[in-house]
Amino acid sequence: MDSYLIQVNGPGDHAPLLDVHLKTNGNSMSLGKVKGRKPRWAVRASEMSKKTFNPVRAIVDSMKVEPNPKKAMISLSLGDPTVFGNLPTNDEVTRAVKEVLDSGRYNGYAPSVGYQSCREAVAAYYNCPEAPLEAQDIILTSGCSQAIELALAVLANPGQNILVPRPGFSLYKTLALSMGIEVKLYNLLPEKSWEIDLKHLESLVDEKTACLIVNNPSNPCGSVFSKSHLQKILAVASRQCIPILADEIYGDMVFADCKYEPIATLSTNVPILSCGGLAKRWLVPGWRMGWILIHDRRDIFGNEIRDGLLRLSQRILGPCTIVQGALERILHQTPPEFYHNTLSILKSNADLCYAALSAIPGLQPVRPAGAMYLMVEIEMEHFPEFENDVEFTERLISEQSVFCLPATCFEYPNFFRVVITVPEEMILEACSRIQEFCEMHYQGAEGAQDLECDK
């Protein structure tokens, strides 16, 4: 039998070089001198992180402008209804969480898809004959944004594409691109209260299309689709055999003269993953409680999509257990007048804002029907000193200390978005300043032409 001997030459224990020999039956074979590896740092960001891009942050962070120091800042940019304290959540909601916290019974891990009793509570809240739900159809998530992420991840592979509204919530693109999923933008029509351009939508479908995202009520538009329009959307999805990811975080947040229809209640065969949560309707976005409702009456998703969602949910082991423990009480015991009062404030603010901005030459607001926003068109030909909506909103900040998001953030240039959750007096003051700004820079057709000639 061969014997092996490794000889290490060098003085003491700190020889800088190794001289290695293998001896086989007395025959020595030298492997030569091997220098020791010199460690060095080589830490690089992952490809996924490099592909992650938030257009809102990219645009806003690049707006290097200072507000007018003579005027207090009014921010109409952030879709957080809690910022100004004028829209607190209901006392019943707060008490529910306090009692759960005091009980000490919800400090441990829950199942990654949520406690069974909490899933039952969500199913009971949304269940209806047109779209029945059971606990097994519910996945609880860390906010609606994680619900959207899980839904995208389970429906689409890298190299496939998804259909996304334009203008639309920027997170869809941020998530998709980070996963290697292509985004195809379908148009919404401002002249039709932001209905979908159905012909354009259907023209984008190809063999790699994995799902259609439908956001109703809409961020950033504040629009609410009619029953007949939703049926036409479902007809396209049915013809093309494309599942729908329904972002319904603003569900039921519609004004009194409008009716909200969950898209799943109108579907006879199109499978739908509906994403929602507590953030907006209950005015607690920081509590990070969301859900996915699985609507699959024809068993098109089958076990594969359900199992995929279960596995994906195990990546972060579920949402906050304290809020889960309070969920049944929040859903079923929040008094109806709380919702009514919130919507009354939003409707009043929307009406005030729409009326004020409609009276300003060069602006064309689109009347909202729900959610927390309205979109305003800038007739750029009357503001020729500005290249685009980003420059317009930058100057609005620096001159009037009013911050509205340029709609380039939502892939829709030459509009801006107004958040209508701020107190009424701030809405009125902001609109007054916007009017002053526009009057300062507005050029009639003749003046705009002269300015163009001077350039």
Side-chain angles (χ1 to χ4, degrees), residues 52 82 102 107 116 119 165 239 241 277 301 364 377 452:
T52 300
T82 72
D102 289 340
N107 295 335
Q116 178 72 10
R119 297 168 74 194
R239 275 196 303 273
C241 298
F301 284 151
Q364 293 290 338
E377 182 180 6
E452 281 298 315

Side-chain angles (χ1 to χ4, degrees), residues 429-442:
E429 173 64 18
C431 289
S432 174
R433 294 189 198 175
I434 292 170
Q435 180 175 355
E436 183 180 335
F437 175 81
C438 289
E439 288 174 351
M440 178 76 67
H441 298 283
Y442 181 85

Side-chain angles (χ1 to χ4, degrees), residues 106-116 118 140 313-314 316-322 324-325:
Y106 291 89
N107 295 335
Y109 288 120
S112 63
V113 292
Y115 287 116
Q116 178 72 10
C118 302
L140 298 185
S313 74
Q314 292 169 346
I316 69 163
L317 299 179
C320 175
T321 55
I322 299 296
Q324 282 192 62

Side-chain angles (χ1 to χ4, degrees), residues 86-153:
N86 60 314
L87 291 172
T89 193
N90 184 255
D91 289 343
E92 184 67 29
V93 175
T94 306
R95 277 196 298 269
V97 172
K98 285 179 178 177
E99 290 181 14
V100 165
L101 185 61
D102 289 340
S103 76
R105 295 190 296 114
Y106 291 89
N107 295 335
Y109 288 120
S112 63
V113 292
Y115 287 116
Q116 178 72 10
S117 60
C118 302
R119 297 168 74 194
E120 289 171 355
V122 175
Y125 186 78
Y126 288 104
N127 178 62
C128 64
E130 301 81 11
L133 287 167
E134 299 177 2
Q136 65 182 10
D137 303 316
I138 311 299
I139 306 287
L140 298 185
T141 62
S142 181
C144 187
S145 57
Q146 197 211 4
I148 294 168
E149 180 182 24
L150 296 186
L152 277 178

Side-chain angles (χ1 to χ4, degrees), residues 159-163 182 184 201-210 240 242:
Q160 289 187 291
N161 65 71
I162 60 172
L163 308 180
E182 182 188 356
K184 290 189 172 185
L201 168 66
E202 195 157 10
S203 73
L204 298 175
V205 178
D206 62 22
E207 70 280 356
K208 292 186 177 180
T209 302
Q240 299 295 339
I242 301 171

Side-chain angles (χ1 to χ4, degrees), residues 251-380:
D252 288 312
M253 290 187 74
V254 300
F255 303 149
D257 52 355
C258 193
K259 187 174 189 305
Y260 165 67
E261 305 272 1
I263 193 169
T265 62
L266 306 175
S267 175
T268 57
N269 66 321
V270 177
I272 296 165
L273 297 180
S274 173
C275 300
L278 292 181
K280 308 300 184 177
R281 194 173 185 220
W282 286 269
L283 306 175
V284 286
W287 290 11
R288 312 311 301 139
M289 175 55 64
W291 45 73
I292 300 172
L293 314 180
I294 305 170
H295 296 280
D296 187 29
R297 291 188 294 284
R298 294 290 185 90
D299 203 32
I300 294 168
F301 284 151
N303 289 332
E304 186 167 337
I305 293 299
R306 292 173 184 274
D307 290 346
L309 286 170
L310 170 62
R311 286 192 291 271
L312 288 169
S313 74
Q314 292 169 346
R315 295 171 66 183
I316 69 163
L317 299 179
C320 175
T321 55
I322 299 296
V323 184
Q324 282 192 62
L327 195 52
E328 181 174 8
R329 185 167 160 186
I330 291 171
L331 293 176
H332 296 286
Q333 295 186 33
T334 301
E337 57 267 24
F338 164 72
Y339 308 122
H340 175 77
N341 292 341
T342 301
L343 289 172
S344 294
I345 292 169
L346 294 178
K347 175 69 161 62
S348 175
N349 282 355
D351 289 345
L352 286 170
C353 192
Y354 177 79
L357 297 180
S358 294
I360 301 174
L363 298 185
Q364 293 290 338
V366 181
R367 185 184 289 277
M372 309 188 316
Y373 316 98
L374 81 157
M375 288 277 276
V376 184
E377 182 180 6
I378 310 164
E379 296 176 340
M380 296 303 301

Side-chain angles (χ1 to χ4, degrees), residues 1-4 23-26:
M1 180 180 292
D2 293 344
S3 62
Y4 299 88
K23 286 192 176 179
T24 307
N25 289 333

Side-chain angles (χ1 to χ4, degrees), residues 10-31:
D13 295 328
H14 306 289
L17 300 177
L18 302 182
D19 189 0
V20 180
H21 297 267
L22 297 182
K23 286 192 176 179
T24 307
N25 289 333
N27 297 319
S28 176
M29 179 176 65
S30 173
L31 296 182

